[in-house]
Amino acid sequence: MKYINNSLLIFLIFFCGKSFGQTTVLTKDEAITKTLENNYGIQRSQNLIEIADNNQGLLNSGYLPSITANAGTNYNIENIEAQFQDGEARILNGAETKRYNASLNVNYTLFDGLGRLYNYRQLKEQYRLTELEARETIENTILQLLSVYFEVARLTENVSVLNETLEISKQRITRAQYQFDYGQTSRLGILNAEVDVNNDSITLLNTKQQLENTKRDLLVLLNEPEKELRDISIDTTINFLSEIELEEFIKTSNLNNVSLLQAESNLLISDYDIKVSKSGYLPTVGLTGSYGWNNSDLPSTSFVQTNTTKGYSAGLNLSWSLFDGGRTITNVKNAKIRLENQEFLKEQIILEVQRDIANSWGNYQNKRYIYEVQEKNVLTNEDNFNRSQEQFKLGQISSIEFRQAQINLLNAKTNKNLAKYDAKFAELQVLQLTGQLLNLDF
């Protein structure tokens, strides 16, 4: 018998361990990594960065020459009546003329009023702006991911709390049944306990359904819709940064906030736009070169029957638009207006970011305080519940009073879970606004 019991124990441990092994804990860092690799919005942003990188490359800079190859042929059949200097006349019907040509041409702009230089710098800055826009997309996606992740964690903890509550309520039914059997209470005690079990069961089922729905939201963000919900287990550990560290981040937010950095980049692009427009006031100097080959087969009325030429040619040209109808003047004026608008927009963004940081910092401090209060409230309600449970067992309080203590403890625990994740999310918002969201581990 002892051998059988030991074998059964090993069997259960093996298969339970195998079952548990199928569910792995998805940490916050792993979720972020999967999102960065699989999320469609982030992938689109990466493609835009690649396009901007192509645009800022040497092949799109205008600093390289253009090379073209040309070739052609002509064939003519004509009736020719020729009168020569010596008075001889000749008539030739169906005279054939064949001409062939080929050339290789090179064009290079030596100077274009510096427009090419500032356009190249503008493309470089446009690449940096695209990177900032991609960073903003990543920050928003990660914030959305962690919001859903924390909601899964909160509901997971709530399910655990509700399971404990339901188990206590079931024990009340058993106890009420014993009390009824021994004549210590009426049938009403059993009915009240059964009602509480039903209510707790319904609450638990609804919370489990919310948990499943939220897990599906998480899988969409991870781009893993085919994964089984039961395979997802969430890390409910929460660590807060120190307020001193957060205050240091706030002090340097003007250097790291992505909206402010985008405003600076747009300002620089607008400044380059003015310089590109001003290049229209200056001349353009170009260099040309070619190598050509020409061959002609001529009729007998010509002085030569075959003519072939080949050789090199080079040239330097200057073009200066003294007046283009006012187009350059208009472009420069409009570019200056756009620069002024970007300066106004930057000042507006500065005010909005300062407001948002102040609001998020105040919200974070408030959420942290609420969380600390809720932690103390849980301890108080646990003590109250334990005392009530002892008194209920001794028959010193009614089932209604015990139920109230049970509900108070349930509400305290769920409120603490809510406060904990609200405080953490408020911290994440502070980190995003200060430009530190992607620089820290969670």
Side-chain angles (χ1 to χ4, degrees):
M1 177 64 74
K2 183 177 179 180
Y3 173 79
I4 295 175
N5 290 337
N6 289 338
S7 300
L8 180 60
L9 180 61
I10 294 173
F11 177 86
L12 291 173
I13 291 175
F14 174 79
F15 280 95
C16 287
K18 185 177 180 181
S19 177
F20 291 149
Q22 293 176 351
T23 301
T24 57
V25 176
L26 177 67
T27 66
K28 291 176 278 292
D29 289 338
E30 289 173 345
I32 291 173
T33 300
K34 289 184 177 182
T35 301
L36 293 175
E37 293 174 351
N38 303 326
N39 184 267
Y40 289 126
I42 293 177
Q43 289 177 353
R44 289 195 300 269
S45 297
Q46 296 298 332
N47 284 339
L48 292 177
I49 291 178
E50 188 174 351
I51 291 174
D53 188 30
N54 294 335
N55 291 336
Q56 69 153 356
L58 184 62
L59 296 176
N60 193 47
S61 65
Y63 280 104
L64 298 179
S66 63
I67 301 175
T68 57
N70 298 307
T73 182
N74 289 303
Y75 177 78
N76 295 329
I77 298 179
E78 302 169 313
N79 296 325
I80 300 175
E81 183 177 344
Q83 184 74 36
F84 294 96
Q85 294 289 342
D86 59 1
E88 181 184 357
R90 183 179 300 178
I91 297 175
L92 187 63
N93 294 322
E96 296 183 351
T97 302
K98 301 176 183 178
R99 291 185 173 88
Y100 308 93
N101 65 84
S103 64
L104 189 66
N105 306 297
V106 179
N107 291 280
Y108 184 70
T109 301
L110 297 175
F111 179 76
D112 66 344
L114 298 178
R116 177 176 54 182
L117 171 65
Y118 292 118
N119 184 66
Y120 184 58
R121 292 180 179 178
Q122 192 177 47
L123 290 173
K124 291 282 187 182
E125 191 60 33
Q126 187 66 50
Y127 171 75
R128 179 172 175 268
L129 177 61
T130 305
E131 284 187 317
L132 291 172
E133 291 171 347
R135 173 186 153 186
E136 184 179 31
T137 299
I138 292 173
E139 286 183 356
N140 291 333
T141 303
I142 295 304
L143 198 65
Q144 181 185 12
L145 166 72
L146 291 175
S147 173
V148 176
Y149 185 96
F150 289 149
E151 182 63 10
V152 173
R154 184 185 72 86
L155 292 171
T156 299
E157 290 193 314
N158 283 356
V159 167
S160 178
V161 171
L162 289 168
N163 274 321
E164 293 177 3
T165 302
L166 179 59
E167 186 61 30
I168 293 172
S169 297
K170 289 180 178 179
Q171 292 174 4
R172 274 184 55 209
I173 292 181
T174 303
R175 184 174 183 80
Q177 185 65 52
Y178 286 152
Q179 290 176 337
F180 176 75
D181 292 341
Y182 288 99
Q184 296 177 356
T185 184
S186 64
R187 184 71 179 175
L188 183 60
I190 299 176
L191 295 176
N192 287 334
E194 290 177 346
V195 169
D196 292 338
V197 166
N198 291 335
N199 290 333
D200 291 343
S201 299
I202 292 172
T203 303
L204 178 60
L205 287 174
N206 288 334
T207 305
K208 284 184 176 180
Q209 185 60 52
Q210 292 176 10
L211 177 60
E212 290 185 359
N213 294 343
T214 310
K215 282 184 176 181
R216 291 189 184 95
D217 293 337
L218 181 62
L219 290 178
V220 169
L221 289 172
L222 298 176
N223 196 15
E224 295 182 342
E226 73 286 349
K227 194 168 185 178
E228 293 292 335
L229 295 181
R230 63 175 178 268
D231 295 338
I232 302 176
S233 179
I234 297 299
D235 179 15
T236 58
T237 304
I238 293 294
N239 297 312
F240 292 99
L241 298 174
S242 67
E243 290 196 3
I244 295 176
E245 192 173 6
L246 291 174
E247 288 173 348
E248 289 298 320
F249 291 154
I250 292 174
K251 291 178 182 178
T252 59
S253 60
N254 60 319
L255 301 176
N256 299 308
N257 179 273
V258 69
S259 296
L260 291 177
L261 293 176
Q262 286 179 6
E264 289 284 355
S265 184
N266 280 318
L267 204 60
L268 193 55
I269 290 173
S270 297
D271 185 57
Y272 286 140
D273 193 30
I274 294 176
K275 294 175 180 178
V276 171
S277 299
K278 285 183 176 180
S279 67
Y281 291 133
L282 299 176
T284 299
V285 180
L287 180 66
T288 62
S290 67
Y291 175 80
W293 172 83
N294 293 276
N295 177 267
S296 300
D297 293 332
L298 304 174
S300 59
T301 55
S302 301
F303 290 106
V304 295
Q305 184 175 4
T306 301
N307 181 28
T308 301
T309 63
K310 57 183 176 180
Y312 300 92
S313 66
L316 185 68
N317 57 69
L318 182 146
S319 175
W320 197 341
S321 178
L322 300 178
F323 183 70
D324 60 357
R327 183 178 59 193
T328 300
I329 296 174
T330 302
N331 289 339
V332 172
K333 287 181 177 179
N334 290 339
K336 288 181 177 179
I337 294 173
R338 286 192 291 269
L339 175 62
E340 186 178 17
N341 280 342
Q342 287 297 332
E343 290 173 344
F344 292 150
L345 181 59
K346 177 186 174 182
E347 294 300 321
Q348 180 182 350
I349 291 175
I350 289 174
L351 292 176
E352 292 176 351
V353 168
Q354 289 175 344
R355 176 206 62 195
D356 293 342
I357 290 177
N359 289 344
S360 64
W361 177 240
N363 185 52
Y364 167 74
Q365 290 178 309
N366 184 58
K367 297 293 186 183
R368 279 299 304 270
Y369 176 75
I370 292 175
Y371 174 53
E372 292 171 1
V373 171
Q374 292 293 354
E375 281 187 312
K376 295 177 182 178
N377 192 34
V378 168
L379 296 176
T380 301
N381 278 277
E382 283 179 343
D383 184 54
N384 178 64
F385 175 76
N386 291 333
R387 292 173 180 269
S388 298
Q389 192 173 38
E390 291 298 325
Q391 291 178 345
F392 178 67
K393 290 178 180 178
L394 297 174
Q396 296 177 354
I397 63 173
S398 65
S399 61
I400 296 177
E401 292 174 309
F402 175 73
R403 176 62 176 175
Q404 187 60 51
Q406 184 186 18
I407 292 175
N408 290 341
L409 179 59
L410 170 64
N411 291 337
K413 286 184 176 181
T414 55
N415 288 338
K416 188 200 77 169
N417 291 339
L418 177 62
K420 177 173 67 172
Y421 294 109
D422 279 351
K424 186 59 181 179
F425 188 72
E427 180 187 87
L428 295 179
Q429 290 176 316
V430 174
L431 293 176
Q432 182 192 28
L433 289 169
T434 56
Q436 302 293 337
L437 182 63
L438 304 181
N439 299 332
L440 300 171
D441 295 328
F442 303 105

